[in-house]
Amino acid sequence: MHDDILSKDEIRQFERLLQQQKVGNIEARLQLWRIFLSVPTQHLTVHELYQELRARGWNWGVELALDTLELLVSFGLVSKSYLNANTPRYEHSKLEEHHDHLLCMRCGRITEFYSDKLEELQQTIIKEQGFHPLSHKLVVRGICCDCLSQRAKPVPLSQFGRGESVVVEEVGAAHGNALGDLGIITGARLNIISKNKNGMVVALNAGRMALSQEWCEQIMVRQAAQADFCKLS
């Protein structure tokens, strides 16, 4: 009930701000804001929101959607962030409320969290540095439990991505000798530095090496360390 009252109040705030700024297409913009607030999954891209708008009968172009989102950001009703890559995502911004994010780099799931201990630690560090904060946003990038559970058994190295650490379980016979000469043997720990369609650059001990996509398919690995809170089968 509180959220419903809050939403109605913010819709009225948006309408008043639009009128004060003498912005056109007020009804269309208010319709967008109502739909935005009703979408269960926040952290929307412009494309995702536009698809939702069209599905609900919104008859305006994507340019008006983007312009309205930017107005919502300027009014402090929506926050804009780059949680992944270069595509901005938009989420409802509530006054005097802060949260951080966990971003799964495999499936894209975004989980919000809040920690009193983390906030207190940040405030302590800020005071120690004599710094005056205006805003902050923490994004922890990694792999969620559901995606980790899909890796309970060894899988090809090609299924992992930049920033991950893996342990070699088995090397295919076709390239076993060549990979062994590079130190890629059972038990070796690899840190993935970068990945593209041609293969990967990985670190082994203090050295770096490029591995072709074909080689990455032949190297069977497991996650170097599973998070304690994940219950894997």
Side-chain angles (χ1 to χ4, degrees):
M1 179 64 69
H2 175 73
D3 286 344
D4 185 53
I5 293 173
L6 177 62
S7 294
K8 289 180 179 178
D9 181 59
E10 289 186 321
I11 290 169
R12 287 193 293 269
Q13 287 182 43
F14 187 41
E15 182 176 14
R16 184 170 62 252
L17 287 163
L18 290 173
Q19 291 170 346
Q20 290 171 345
Q21 296 289 321
K22 295 181 171 53
V23 178
N25 298 315
I26 289 181
E27 286 305 317
R29 296 179 193 275
L30 289 173
Q31 184 185 5
L32 179 148
W33 184 217
R34 292 189 188 96
I35 293 173
F36 184 97
L37 289 173
S38 70
V39 176
T41 303
Q42 291 290 305
H43 310 103
L44 297 167
T45 64
V46 174
H47 175 72
E48 290 167 344
L49 176 61
Y50 188 65
Q51 293 297 106
E52 186 71 26
L53 290 169
R54 297 296 292 174
R56 299 203 199 181
W58 202 71
N59 295 317
W60 299 82
V62 68
E63 293 82 5
L64 184 63
L66 178 58
D67 184 65
T68 303
L69 281 173
E70 293 299 327
L71 280 171
L72 286 162
V73 171
S74 70
F75 294 157
L77 293 165
V78 165
S79 62
K80 176 182 178 181
S81 58
Y82 293 82
L83 298 176
N84 191 14
N86 297 317
T87 302
R89 290 185 176 273
Y90 299 84
E91 63 177 304
H92 185 197
S93 179
K94 299 179 182 178
L95 292 175
E96 299 182 357
E97 179 182 292
H98 173 77
H99 61 263
D100 295 305
H101 301 88
L102 303 175
L103 170 63
C104 180
M105 299 301 289
R106 180 163 182 174
C107 69
R109 179 192 299 175
I110 299 171
T111 303
E112 296 179 355
F113 74 95
Y114 176 83
S115 168
D116 284 327
K117 291 182 179 179
L118 182 59
E119 294 299 316
E120 290 172 4
L121 178 58
Q122 288 176 151
Q123 289 302 317
T124 298
I125 294 171
I126 287 167
K127 289 179 181 179
E128 289 175 348
Q129 296 295 321
F131 189 75
H132 176 65
L134 297 177
S135 66
H136 80 275
K137 187 175 292 292
L138 173 67
V139 181
V140 181
R141 294 175 174 82
I143 309 297
C144 70
C145 287
D146 288 345
C147 289
L148 281 174
S149 67
Q150 298 172 20
R151 298 171 171 178
K153 297 180 180 180
V155 296
L157 176 61
S158 58
Q159 293 191 23
F160 288 78
R162 179 178 178 272
E164 296 193 75
S165 296
V166 298
V167 175
V168 177
E169 290 284 314
E170 183 182 353
V171 179
H175 302 289
N177 291 335
L179 290 169
D181 290 341
L182 295 174
I184 300 179
I185 58 176
T186 300
R189 179 166 178 153
L190 306 176
N191 296 311
I192 302 172
I193 297 174
S194 63
K195 178 180 180 180
N196 58 44
K197 63 181 180 181
N198 298 317
M200 294 180 176
V201 173
V202 302
L204 173 61
N205 299 321
R208 297 173 176 80
M209 65 188 74
L211 302 176
S212 68
Q213 182 67 17
E214 182 181 359
W215 281 12
C216 292
E217 293 291 341
Q218 293 290 315
I219 304 170
M220 303 299 291
V221 300
R222 61 176 171 80
Q223 196 84 33
Q226 304 285 15
D228 294 336
F229 54 81
C230 291
K231 298 179 180 179
L232 304 181
S233 57

